[in-house]
Amino acid sequence: DIEMTQSPSSLSASVGDRVTISCQASQDISNYLNWYQQKPGKAPKLLIYDASSLETGVPLRFIGRGSGTDFTLTINSLQPEDIATYYCQQFDNLPFTFGPGTKVDIK
Amino acid sequence: EVQLLESGGGLVQPGGSLRLSCAASGFTFSRYEMNWVRQAPGKGLEWVSYISASGTSKTYADSVKGRLTISRDNAKNSLYLQMNSLRAEDTAVYYCARDIGYDSRGLPKPGYFQNWGQGTLVTVSS
């Protein structure tokens, strides 16, 4: 199985800050990487697919980059509504696997 | 608007069975692949099972293989998860998720969980 790791596990930042979350795959997954946002008590929401494509309706401040084994999700100008846990997920190989999540809150 | 509504969760004893349902609306259900994803209390996300649009292809996580069975009824716009021989470690919120099914080049590639239901809680405890 492909193992996904994320760092940091949590972070606290101020409104307006740029925040970057890293995701690493245990083997080359090309660009078969998605990012999800999960707010407390809610279902996950697809933010970024194919490593860098923005899902319809997602604010432009969310930027995905990377390929191979190393990926990042950047939130430009953090907003209060971005408080959530963010998960990366690979779909290059079955079983589909998620990273452990990065919890983002406001300082 | 795409809507997915799970039901069937509840409290069940270890070794027991439960059948989850996911009612789909707002899209042509028979054209989309579907998945079940679960989340144990306070934990991360775990993919559980996938089913093709026709229902002929199914895959499972090793942790549930032989105990959980995914199925669908396209005439009823519904997805199911039959859960047998339940264990404490199956305790989780279970989400159904619609799969885009194709990559950006239009090639078949499951694994994009584009839409999610609100989830249904399964608790396995004596």
Side-chain angles (χ1 to χ4, degrees):
Chain A
D1 297 3
I2 297 175
E3 182 181 3
M4 306 300 293
T5 56
Q6 288 182 234
S7 62
S9 57
S10 65
L11 66 89
S12 186
S14 300
V15 172
D17 283 354
R18 176 180 297 169
V19 167
T20 297
I21 300 167
S22 296
C23 173
Q24 187 168 56
S26 60
Q27 65 187 66
D28 189 336
I29 59 170
S30 184
N31 68 330
Y32 294 122
L33 189 284
N34 298 324
W35 288 98
Y36 299 87
Q37 175 193 64
Q38 186 178 32
K39 296 184 178 181
K42 300 294 185 181
K45 171 187 173 183
L46 179 63
L47 290 181
I48 303 279
Y49 61 93
D50 291 347
S52 61
S53 296
L54 199 64
E55 175 68 353
T56 302
V58 174
L60 295 176
R61 63 180 178 274
F62 290 92
I63 298 173
R65 295 187 177 95
S67 67
T69 61
D70 295 297
F71 303 85
T72 59
L73 173 68
T74 297
I75 309 173
N76 284 324
S77 189
L78 186 70
Q79 299 300 304
E81 60 266 31
D82 300 334
I83 301 307
T85 299
Y86 294 84
Y87 296 92
C88 60
Q89 173 240 335
Q90 69 81 21
F91 59 103
D92 185 44
N93 282 344
L94 283 162
F96 306 131
T97 47
F98 291 86
T102 295
K103 187 175 182 180
V104 175
D105 63 24
I106 298 289
K107 196 181 291 183
Chain B
E1 179 192 3
V2 172
Q3 290 198 338
L4 299 168
L5 185 62
E6 301 94 337
S7 61
L11 175 63
V12 60
Q13 292 189 338
S17 297
L18 214 53
R19 189 195 195 204
L20 306 184
S21 299
C22 171
S25 61
F27 65 101
T28 305
F29 181 71
S30 60
R31 294 182 180 176
Y32 285 86
E33 300 157 35
M34 298 293 294
N35 295 267
W36 286 99
V37 178
R38 70 183 180 183
Q39 186 170 35
K43 303 296 184 182
L45 300 166
E46 179 188 18
W47 169 79
V48 172
S49 184
Y50 156 92
I51 188 168
S52 62
S54 65
T56 55
S57 179
K58 306 174 185 181
T59 56
Y60 299 92
D62 285 346
S63 58
V64 306
K65 205 171 291 184
R67 301 186 300 115
L68 274 57
T69 303
I70 193 170
S71 63
R72 65 191 296 160
D73 185 336
N74 286 343
K76 295 183 177 180
N77 293 334
S78 293
L79 175 72
Y80 305 102
L81 187 66
Q82 178 64 44
M83 310 174 73
N84 296 332
S85 303
L86 283 164
R87 306 167 179 168
E89 54 265 35
D90 295 318
T91 295
V93 173
Y94 285 74
Y95 297 100
C96 62
R98 186 181 80 156
D99 202 316
I100 295 175
Y102 290 84
D103 67 15
S104 56
R105 297 167 293 174
L107 300 174
K109 189 68 172 175
Y112 299 82
F113 308 138
Q114 186 179 37
N115 302 95
W116 300 62
Q118 87 292 344
T120 187
L121 176 62
V122 173
T123 303
V124 184
S125 175
S126 55

